[in-house]
Amino acid sequence: LQEIVIPVLGEYTDPKLPPDARTDAVLIVDAFHEMENPVLMLRNVARTLKPQGRIGIIDYREGDGGPGPEAIERVPPGVVVSEAAAAGLKLVDQHKFLRYQYFLIFGK
């Protein structure tokens, strides 16, 4: 079994991933707070997933601590969960091992 990672440069609302349910996982790091329309972006990402595929979102925790964007730009995890639900996704796991960020995992 050979695993292949293919980087793809997407656009603001379209990740430009193949829409035929062949993606195992998508990782979005430190970018959720930059999304102009997160529901549309997540919906477009989700259409590329295999049935058991996952979307991981890592972004900065609230407050002024550590590196990252200004506190006003940070998105609370609850907002990410709500936007993901509006895109048809459900939270399946979360991790708290990162010092300055949260790590949420969504599935269909």
Side-chain angles (χ1 to χ4, degrees):
L1 176 68
Q2 182 181 13
E3 295 184 32
I4 299 173
V5 175
I6 302 169
V8 176
L9 179 60
E11 296 177 355
Y12 288 109
T13 58
D14 187 355
K16 298 293 185 183
L17 296 171
D20 54 359
R22 62 178 175 176
T23 305
D24 292 304
V26 173
L27 181 61
I28 301 170
V29 180
D30 301 337
F32 190 88
H33 66 276
E34 299 288 349
M35 291 181 189
E36 292 178 6
N37 187 336
V39 173
L40 181 56
M41 174 60 94
L42 292 175
R43 191 175 295 132
N44 284 330
V45 171
R47 69 181 166 78
T48 74
L49 293 177
K50 290 180 179 177
Q52 297 302 314
R54 297 289 183 254
I55 298 172
I57 297 179
I58 296 175
D59 219 309
Y60 288 96
R61 296 175 196 230
E62 293 178 272
D64 289 321
E70 298 293 323
I72 191 81
E73 296 178 36
R74 298 181 185 205
V75 180
V79 171
V80 177
V81 171
S82 177
E83 299 284 293
L89 299 166
K90 62 181 178 178
L91 182 67
V92 296
D93 204 356
Q94 59 184 315
H95 300 283
K96 299 181 184 209
F97 62 87
L98 298 168
R99 185 172 180 184
Y100 300 110
Q101 298 144 302
Y102 52 84
F103 184 5
L104 307 174
I105 301 173
F106 296 93
K108 291 183 176 183

